[in-house]
Amino acid sequence: MSARTKLSLILLFAPFALWLGVLIIIPHIDMFLVSIREKIGIGQYRIGPANYMAFFTEPLYWNTFMRTALMSIAATLLTFLIGFPVAFYIAKVARGRLKTTLFLMVLLPFWVSELVRTFGWMILLRETGVISHTLQWLGLVHRPVELLYNDGAIMVGLVYTSMLFMVVPLVTTLDSLDDELIEAGYDLGGNGWSVLREIVIPHAMPGIVSGSIVVFMLSLGNYLTPVLMGGKNSLWFTEQIYQQFIVRFNWEQGAAFGFLLLFLSSLIVWLGLKITGQTLRETMG
Amino acid sequence: MIPSIRQPKWLKALYSGYVALFFLYLVAPLVVVAVFAFNDSLFPSPPWQGFTLDWFFGTEEPKLGIFHDDAIMESIWISVFVAFWVTLLSVAVGTTNAFLFEREKFPFKDFFYILMLLPLVIPGIILGISILVFTNTVANWVETAFGFDIEALRPGLVLVILGQFSFIATITTLIIAARLRKFDRTLEEAALNLGATPIVAVFTITIPYLAPAIIGAAIISFLMSFENFNTTLMLVGSDAPLTITMFDRLKEGSTPALNAVSLLLMTSSAVLALIYIAFQKKAPE
């Protein structure tokens, strides 16, 4: 290696190392160190697992964690079920201009702040909101109905926010599926269902996996939707972390919660990749 | 299924109907946010009380327009300030990262590439708290060792900028690297043969080729910074960017002023999106 190529490598590696080291790796190590210390007096700490034990002994923490995980899985599933037919329509049925327009429309929510999207849903769903008003006007109900502040509302918000991250990878993978393969499936005596199961879904698998991973992560780490649409009893784990850090100023406990959430999120990503035999590189790149 | 396969008419109609319904779901919250910005009422909800521009230009309470609302105007400028620095940092590091991973050979390259992707799979709240914990550790250490307080390391705009930069840099890296990968290196070699030094060759040939990707990455960074909520929430001090101000207002109870800000946000995003699309179309292969 000549001196010049060595120099260019060093110059390019330095910003990378600085960025990743100072902002990602060292902070996470430090957060881990904070999570395993126990307060025994003012300014006095010792190393111990108390913060993690608190998670297992306090049912509220444990329940919130499980609830967040299960609802995120449900949101992922629902996003897939709702998004798949739309992705298929964009990739295989729509042609020319319509196809481009529909695809750009799916991207629309990305350009709008999550806060604005959530606000929009609040205007639609709340007791004095648009849907409640419309139902009364139609005579279907006779007093205002509160559609906000329940788990269903959280679900609507989560699915809405994540939809694009499911549909875009699905459209990309379905686009690469040759129409002739579907026709051949029919020629060989398949029906709509068996062609879907034997040809379309296996082909779309990479898109399904990357879409699901991103949607799951986004739901798990979401804060706005559960807080604003779920009301007082929404019990989302990110809320617990915020509580510990900002409200109670118990950073040790908050750091431990942060790590548990990170662990769960990484575990699911890893499992998803493992089961389908993909790598993070393909999925994200 | 696909158009070349015969399907009963009712099934086709059903499918198209479903897709239409989906797009209604996609635009509904955005439309209501926009429409109620012009409602002459104190609440962003039906019934319609008539058209007004007071929520933009009104000069006194209770209908204080956003252009006269100092708190909102100030937080818009704070957001612009933050987004500017995040964009600058992310594009700079994204460009050097792209060259690092596309051009250089070094040990454990695959491993470092995975590390580079990590910020995308860490929930935003956790990125925020890990940086909060780490900067606090450093600040406390400096304070005990040298006896002075580094204001920049306490929650505030510097931390917000660093927190957003920590994950947006991954996105800019991916965008710029994708274009660098398509670059024909013989162009650079021609410049070298004609007597250019490697640095001159990169700046006169390669960087102009990358320009559409760099501009695209800058637009995406600016937008993601402007819209960011989760990471910002954990790192914010007394100067609140727009999303934080809006969140606080939303919790207190909303007025159509929030719709007006949202509409302003959506319009600016749309303009940025159009610029982005224009640049992507113009990019020569």
Side-chain angles (χ1 to χ4, degrees):
Chain A
M1 203 185 267
S2 74
R4 179 179 272 161
T5 54
K6 204 166 188 173
L7 181 68
S8 81
L9 176 61
I10 291 170
L11 285 180
L12 291 173
F13 199 79
F16 168 73
L18 216 59
W19 157 59
L20 210 63
V22 174
L23 294 179
I24 305 289
I25 296 172
I26 301 175
H28 279 85
I29 294 173
D30 192 36
M31 188 169 88
F32 181 70
L33 293 177
V34 169
S35 80
I36 56 167
R37 72 181 190 195
E38 298 168 4
K39 198 165 193 161
I40 47 173
I42 296 165
Q44 287 181 306
Y45 299 97
R46 65 155 185 242
I47 289 178
N51 301 312
Y52 290 93
M53 295 308 286
F55 170 74
F56 291 103
T57 48
E58 173 66 61
L60 174 71
Y61 299 155
W62 175 247
N63 287 342
T64 308
F65 188 73
M66 286 315 287
R67 191 180 123 87
T68 308
L70 290 177
M71 282 193 58
S72 299
I73 292 174
T76 310
L77 219 69
L78 213 61
T79 311
F80 170 70
L81 290 177
I82 296 173
F84 189 83
V86 178
F88 191 85
Y89 192 91
I90 295 175
K92 289 274 156 255
V93 182
R95 289 280 173 266
R97 237 220 171 93
L98 179 66
K99 183 177 172 135
T100 329
T101 314
L102 291 183
F103 190 69
L104 286 178
M105 272 181 73
V106 173
L107 297 180
L108 207 63
F110 171 79
W111 296 95
V112 180
S113 169
E114 191 184 350
L115 202 74
V116 176
R117 290 176 251 161
T118 313
F119 182 40
W121 278 109
M122 290 171 77
I123 295 175
L124 283 171
L125 295 178
R126 67 175 150 212
E127 207 173 351
T128 54
V130 175
I131 294 179
S132 168
H133 253 268
T134 314
L135 290 177
Q136 286 177 79
W137 181 73
L138 290 172
L140 293 173
V141 292
H142 299 288
R143 65 178 75 115
V145 276
E146 179 65 274
L147 298 165
L148 205 58
Y149 309 128
N150 57 51
D151 287 358
I154 298 183
M155 219 42 140
V156 169
L158 288 178
V159 169
Y160 185 81
T161 300
S162 336
M163 188 50 79
L164 128 102
F165 298 96
M166 180 65 86
V167 173
V168 171
L170 284 180
V171 170
T172 317
T173 47
L174 286 172
D175 248 341
S176 68
L177 172 66
D178 207 330
D179 280 2
E180 284 164 15
L181 281 174
I182 297 177
E183 287 159 12
Y186 277 96
D187 289 343
L188 292 169
N191 55 29
W193 174 241
S194 63
V195 168
L196 187 71
R197 215 186 50 220
E198 311 262 336
I199 298 172
V200 180
I201 299 270
H203 183 88
M205 215 46 189
I208 297 175
V209 173
S210 54
S212 302
I213 287 177
V214 175
V215 171
F216 179 78
M217 271 171 16
L218 286 178
S219 304
L220 207 59
N222 201 316
Y223 177 81
L224 270 178
T225 307
V227 168
L228 291 177
M229 294 177 72
K232 294 229 158 18
N233 301 314
S234 57
L235 294 175
W236 209 255
F237 204 64
T238 47
E239 250 181 294
Q240 259 321 321
I241 296 177
Y242 181 83
Q243 282 282 329
Q244 298 292 347
F245 259 91
I246 310 293
V247 182
R248 295 197 200 171
F249 219 68
N250 186 350
W251 284 21
E252 289 75 24
Q253 190 65 64
F257 285 174
F259 252 90
L260 289 164
L261 189 72
L262 191 60
F263 174 75
L264 177 66
S265 153
S266 319
L267 182 77
I268 300 280
V269 172
W270 183 79
L271 273 179
L273 294 173
K274 204 83 195 159
I275 289 169
T276 53
Q278 293 188 72
T279 64
L280 188 66
R281 193 187 192 119
E282 295 162 7
T283 311
M284 294 297 154
Chain B
M1 278 271 181
I2 57 176
S4 56
I5 307 288
R6 268 169 182 280
Q7 296 277 314
K9 257 214 177 84
W10 63 265
L11 196 63
K12 271 189 188 165
L14 198 71
Y15 194 12
S16 303
Y18 173 79
V19 173
L21 213 63
F22 173 85
F23 281 99
L24 185 69
Y25 161 79
L26 214 59
V27 297
L30 309 182
V31 170
V32 292
V33 167
V35 167
F36 285 106
F38 302 103
N39 192 10
D40 195 2
S41 143
L42 292 181
F43 306 100
S45 48
W48 184 254
Q49 307 274 18
F51 181 87
T52 180
L53 286 175
D54 281 356
W55 296 111
F56 291 90
F57 303 108
T59 48
E60 56 202 286
E61 297 280 1
K63 279 197 238 164
L64 185 63
I66 53 166
F67 291 114
H68 297 282
D69 186 330
D70 292 340
I72 288 198
M73 281 295 128
E74 200 194 325
S75 60
I76 289 180
W77 285 114
I78 292 174
S79 283
V80 169
F81 174 81
V82 168
F84 171 79
W85 285 106
V86 170
T87 306
L88 206 68
L89 287 169
S90 307
V91 169
V93 173
T95 311
T96 57
N97 280 354
F99 276 95
L100 179 69
F101 285 105
E102 292 301 319
R103 290 293 175 83
E104 302 289 338
K105 287 197 185 72
F106 51 95
F108 306 112
K109 189 173 164 181
D110 285 344
F111 171 72
F112 283 117
Y113 190 82
I114 299 287
L115 281 187
M116 188 275 289
L117 292 175
L118 273 189
L120 284 189
V121 290
I122 302 173
I125 286 229
I126 294 178
L127 284 175
I129 57 173
S130 68
I131 291 173
L132 181 68
V133 167
F134 175 56
T135 50
N136 184 63
T137 307
V138 175
N140 286 348
W141 179 78
V142 170
E143 201 174 357
T144 34
F146 303 104
F148 63 88
D149 189 36
I150 307 178
E151 192 60 37
L153 291 178
R154 305 295 181 186
L157 294 186
V158 175
L159 293 197
V160 171
I161 291 170
L162 290 178
Q164 295 182 356
F165 162 58
S166 74
F167 73 96
I168 294 178
T170 300
I171 296 162
T172 54
T173 302
L174 290 175
I175 297 174
I176 298 169
R179 184 150 173 96
L180 187 57
R181 201 168 304 142
K182 287 192 258 164
F183 179 71
D184 180 3
R185 288 202 74 173
T186 54
L187 291 173
E188 235 173 54
E189 280 158 22
L192 293 176
N193 287 340
L194 292 169
T197 63
I199 297 282
V200 171
V202 163
F203 275 92
T204 51
I205 310 287
T206 323
I207 297 287
Y209 174 83
L210 288 179
I214 290 177
I215 292 167
I219 291 174
I220 299 270
S221 310
F222 194 88
L223 206 75
M224 293 196 78
S225 162
F226 214 92
E227 289 179 358
N228 184 269
F229 180 79
N230 285 357
T231 309
T232 310
L233 179 70
M234 307 307 294
L235 296 170
V236 76
S238 49
D239 298 320
L242 186 60
T243 47
I244 303 290
T245 307
M246 286 174 71
F247 178 67
D248 290 340
R249 295 259 177 120
L250 204 50
K251 276 194 306 192
E252 288 165 14
S254 47
T255 66
L258 275 178
N259 296 63
V261 188
S262 303
L263 186 60
L264 199 70
L265 264 180
M266 286 197 270
T267 330
S268 353
S269 300
V271 171
L272 279 180
L274 289 177
I275 298 175
Y276 179 77
I277 291 169
F279 268 106
Q280 301 313 303
K281 271 197 181 143
K282 259 177 40 188
E285 279 305 311

